[in-house]
Amino acid sequence: ILVAFAAVALLLAAIGIFFVIVGRDRLERPRSGHRLARFSLAERILHWTTATLFVLLALSGLSLLLGRAILIPLFGHLPFADAMQIGKLVHNISGPFFLAGLLIEIAVWVTHNIPKKMDLHWFKNLGGMIGDGPRPHSEKINGGEKAWFWAMVLAGIGVGVTGVILDFPIWGQSRQTMQIAHVIHVVVAIGFLAASFGHIYIGTIGVEGTFEAMWRGSVDAEWARQHADLWYHKKTGRDPDIPPPPSAGAGEASATPV
């Protein structure tokens, strides 16, 4: 277990080093002021609800997993036991709701996340974050986002199904089944957590303007032109090679999410 978390710590360090060396992927041209609707309010509520449940599960799960090795020596048996009375309850209740949220996310976003051959070009220079080559063509969802989506699907179902087996030992599961489910649950959960750091990094400080998509529901037209040129053309009818004209304070675009 400690080896696995050492690997996660190394991944976090690698992300930090990447940020120091490469820096933030900034917009190459000034913001246009035109906003393009990207995610509806319902989609954003779904995302942030599921993300909140993920954080609760990660914190409570790590506390349960590392209790004997780290937390009890730090805080003592009684404080840890009191905290885990709540932590275990939070973990067991949040799990089924997280799985439900994940299944809804799959239904809502799967059509935009079907892999295509052109998505492979995103990985050559991480969508333009590294190297001097041209940015790859992308529809609404790029290759990196699709990779995260399918990783989330596989890992989420893995931890969800094994979590339900552990949460509800009322279906005649044998002790061996529970033990195997427990091991799979822990291993997949650690991998899921590690992968989420990359998603969080790109969605916050890694790429300028990306966080706005899921926070405000819209992005600047220049962000769309730079990172999702085919989607930009579909939304606006404009040539992605031509910068969008500056806005005269037009505010949010009236287009509905596509």
Side-chain angles (χ1 to χ4, degrees):
I1 292 174
L2 292 179
V3 171
F5 280 97
V8 173
L10 287 175
L11 176 61
L12 284 173
I15 291 174
I17 293 171
F18 180 88
F19 180 71
V20 170
I21 295 174
V22 176
R24 196 178 198 194
D25 185 14
R26 297 193 176 276
L27 296 178
E28 297 169 351
R29 295 167 177 161
R31 290 173 178 261
S32 69
H34 290 285
R35 307 291 301 184
L36 300 181
R38 188 162 173 84
F39 294 110
S40 68
L41 177 61
E43 288 178 303
R44 285 178 281 148
I45 291 174
L46 173 63
H47 171 271
W48 290 114
T49 300
T50 308
T52 300
L53 290 169
F54 177 84
V55 172
L56 290 174
L57 287 165
L59 292 176
S60 56
L62 289 174
S63 299
L64 290 165
L65 191 61
L66 298 177
R68 186 180 300 275
I70 296 177
L71 299 181
I72 290 177
L74 283 176
F75 302 106
H77 284 83
L78 287 179
F80 174 77
D82 291 339
M84 285 304 95
Q85 289 286 340
I86 299 174
K88 187 174 182 295
L89 187 63
V90 168
H91 198 80
N92 290 345
I93 292 176
S94 298
F97 286 104
F98 172 78
L99 180 59
L102 176 69
L103 295 176
I104 296 172
E105 286 188 336
I106 294 172
V108 170
W109 290 320
V110 67
T111 55
H112 291 297
N113 283 277
I114 303 301
K116 296 183 179 179
K117 185 177 180 179
M118 70 175 181
D119 295 324
L120 295 174
H121 295 290
W122 187 91
F123 296 94
K124 292 181 179 179
N125 60 359
L126 299 183
M129 284 192 289
I130 60 175
D132 298 322
R135 292 183 183 272
H137 295 298
S138 175
E139 296 178 321
K140 182 176 183 179
I141 305 299
N142 63 41
E145 291 171 312
K146 289 181 181 180
W148 162 250
F149 176 83
W150 290 108
M152 177 189 72
V153 169
L154 295 175
I157 291 176
V159 295
V161 171
T162 54
V164 169
I165 291 174
L166 296 169
D167 223 359
F168 301 99
I170 56 176
W171 299 317
Q173 301 100 308
S174 67
R175 179 178 292 273
Q176 183 180 29
T177 298
M178 298 284 282
Q179 290 173 331
I180 293 172
H182 195 185
V183 172
I184 294 174
H185 189 78
V186 171
V187 172
V188 175
I190 293 174
F192 196 4
L193 179 62
S196 74
F197 294 141
H199 172 68
I200 294 168
Y201 167 75
I202 293 177
T204 52
I205 63 173
V207 180
E208 180 184 2
T210 299
F211 183 75
E212 299 169 16
M214 196 54 76
W215 188 253
R216 298 178 59 180
S218 63
V219 294
D220 190 88
E222 175 56 28
W223 182 96
R225 188 200 66 79
Q226 180 171 311
H227 295 288
D229 58 341
L230 301 181
W231 178 70
Y232 168 81
H233 176 70
K234 183 177 181 180
K235 292 278 284 185
T236 67
R238 295 183 178 275
D239 185 345
D241 293 329
I242 301 174
S247 171
E252 296 285 329
S254 59
T256 56
V258 176

